Amino acid sequence: MVKQDRDAFLITKVSSVYYFSGFLDHREAVLALIVPVDGRSTLLAHEISYDAAKDQAVDCDVELVKTGEKMLDKIANELLTLKVRKVSFDHLSSRSYLSLSAKLAKVELKDAPNAVWDLRKVKDDDELECLRRAARMADRGMEAAMENLREGMRECDLAAEIEYAMRREGSECFAFDTIVASGPRSFHPHTLCSSKKIERGDLVIVDVGAVYKGYRSDETRTLIVGSPNKKQAEIFSVTLSAHDEALAAMKEGASAKHVDRIARDIITKAGYGNRFVHGLGHGIGLDIHEPPSLSPTSNDVLQKGNVVTDEPAIYIPRLGGVRIEDTVLVKENACEKLTLSLIQEV
Ligand SMILES: [Mn+2]
């Protein structure tokens, strides 16, 4: 803030409020943390989260936004009381931004999400401990998937086994809706699970994530009941080498675009370049998708302490898809897989 000549920072993204204050609201409450360059921070909370915020937030004053009062009015008043001239913010809708600008005509408001992400994307030891716990829980869910997978069971029944196992490990919610996509359904990367029965010879994409103290994990394996045909075995082995080669290139200083390129080149050379329809991976932490991004258009450079996914895939309409994904910690000269489920060759 000093370097950028800012008098205060306004944090409204709920996960970032948790990151800076220690108060986590899992239900996307409307909160605002005002951090002045000098002095104590203030966390504004509605009645629904006020008592919990008072209980959990550290190093800040918690102020109640009463029923009938508007959060944006409280933010504006607080900033006026602080006599600020230049304020950065992390996350405001265009409507909130326009409204706040009108209330604070003499204050310069600057959109600066990267100032927060630059801190959040480098995980400290306490955060890594949580991320490792979340990864263990996902491994346990994946183990349940492997143990329970049977011909004739519905995708949602397998998802139920996975989620039960993660809950039993202490997962406080799920990092995202569990994906179990079998046979032809597995070609769509954003499908969830359905009542479709898993048939012999189906590729089954299983994508799971657990949550510990707000920190998330993300892991995908592609399973099969019975044995694969030639094409299925081929796309599996191409995806696996893309996954492994990208993993070998992940370390501090590597360009994210370059790591994506390593995986994409392997898939492209095998003739499936246009069937790898998303980036190689994404940062993960309190949010499921965070910076840095590993994609053909990313300008990010990997740093020690980044936690990212490595998830190459091939999706073929009608035949189905293969995705293999791990959550990975970037280190100085290499990387470390946090998710450790066995990758069984189909
Ligand atoms: Mn992912």
Side-chain angles (χ1 to χ4, degrees):
M1 285 162 70
V2 169
K3 218 190 282 174
Q4 295 184 2
D5 187 26
R6 298 281 115 184
D7 303 316
F9 211 112
L10 168 64
I11 309 280
T12 54
K13 192 172 173 63
V14 169
S15 54
S16 291
V17 168
Y18 174 49
Y19 183 81
F20 289 109
S21 76
F23 171 57
L24 174 58
D25 191 301
H26 273 302
R27 287 275 177 231
E28 298 291 310
V30 179
L31 297 165
L33 182 66
I34 294 164
V35 184
V37 68
D38 292 313
R40 217 168 147 77
S41 302
T42 303
L43 174 58
L44 302 175
H46 287 286
E47 270 169 310
I48 194 163
S49 34
Y50 175 76
D51 291 327
K54 263 223 95 54
D55 193 44
Q56 293 162 29
V58 290
D59 294 333
C60 62
D61 296 321
V62 182
E63 267 186 41
L64 177 65
V65 182
K66 292 191 201 104
T67 306
E69 282 184 329
K70 289 209 173 75
M71 179 60 86
L72 285 173
D73 289 340
K74 288 287 277 191
I75 293 171
N77 287 343
E78 183 70 24
L79 290 171
L80 288 172
T81 311
L82 288 168
K83 297 195 167 43
V84 294
R85 301 160 300 122
K86 295 178 176 185
V87 177
S88 288
F89 63 88
D90 69 332
H91 190 75
L92 286 176
S93 68
S94 47
R95 183 176 291 174
S96 297
Y97 171 75
L98 291 171
S99 162
L100 207 53
S101 297
K103 293 181 208 297
L104 299 168
K106 288 184 180 147
V107 176
E108 182 191 311
L109 285 172
K110 188 181 162 198
D111 181 25
N114 289 339
V116 172
W117 286 119
D118 285 348
L119 298 171
R120 280 187 53 181
K121 74 184 178 185
V122 179
K123 271 66 181 178
D124 67 22
D125 288 345
D126 290 341
E127 294 183 284
L128 285 175
E129 177 58 29
C130 295
L131 287 158
R132 284 179 202 281
R133 295 276 292 264
R136 279 300 69 67
M137 294 171 182
D139 285 345
R140 185 64 203 94
M142 193 60 74
E143 200 182 315
M146 291 172 183
E147 282 167 8
N148 287 284
L149 177 64
R150 299 278 182 281
E151 181 181 359
M153 83 188 295
R154 297 179 311 164
E155 293 172 352
C156 48
D157 292 324
L158 192 63
E161 297 294 344
I162 293 164
E163 294 183 352
Y164 181 69
M166 293 197 292
R167 284 288 195 196
R168 293 297 297 254
E169 290 297 301
S171 189
E172 57 210 35
C173 56
F174 302 114
F176 49 87
D177 289 317
T178 303
I179 296 174
V180 176
S182 66
R185 284 192 6 88
S186 60
F187 89 95
H188 180 203
H190 280 166
T191 190
L192 297 176
C193 59
S194 76
S195 299
K196 177 191 170 297
K197 285 185 173 159
I198 297 168
E199 292 169 38
R200 182 158 292 268
D202 278 353
L203 288 169
V204 187
I205 290 184
V206 178
D207 190 347
V208 308
V211 183
Y212 181 71
K213 290 192 179 174
Y215 287 86
R216 287 157 205 268
S217 54
D218 195 357
E219 176 172 40
T220 308
R221 295 291 180 262
T222 302
L223 312 175
I224 194 166
V225 183
S227 33
N229 63 31
K230 221 176 130 208
K231 186 86 164 176
Q232 290 171 327
E234 185 200 336
I235 63 172
F236 187 94
S237 85
V238 171
T239 307
L240 181 56
S241 34
H243 168 275
D244 291 351
E245 293 302 317
L247 203 65
M250 285 187 188
K251 59 180 177 185
E252 177 155 63
S255 109
K257 190 187 294 186
H258 172 71
V259 178
D260 175 277
R261 170 60 75 83
I262 289 172
R264 205 165 294 279
D265 278 354
I266 291 170
I267 292 172
T268 304
K269 277 197 190 106
Y272 300 105
N274 63 338
R275 306 312 321 153
F276 179 17
V277 295
H278 50 68
L280 177 70
H282 50 87
I284 178 168
L286 294 171
D287 285 282
I288 185 65
H289 296 125
E290 304 185 347
S293 146
L294 294 94
S295 78
T297 55
S298 174
N299 291 316
D300 292 326
V301 173
L302 297 183
Q303 287 168 277
K304 187 177 146 191
N306 289 162
V307 173
V308 300
T309 65
D310 171 21
E311 52 178 310
I314 297 174
Y315 307 99
I316 303 177
R318 287 175 298 282
L319 180 86
V322 171
R323 179 166 70 251
I324 302 169
E325 173 183 37
D326 282 304
T327 298
V328 170
L329 166 62
V330 177
K331 294 181 153 182
E332 211 170 316
N333 297 306
C335 69
E336 177 193 336
K337 275 179 31 152
L338 300 184
T339 47
L340 297 170
S341 292
L342 182 73
I343 302 176
Q344 286 173 319
E345 295 264 0
V346 301

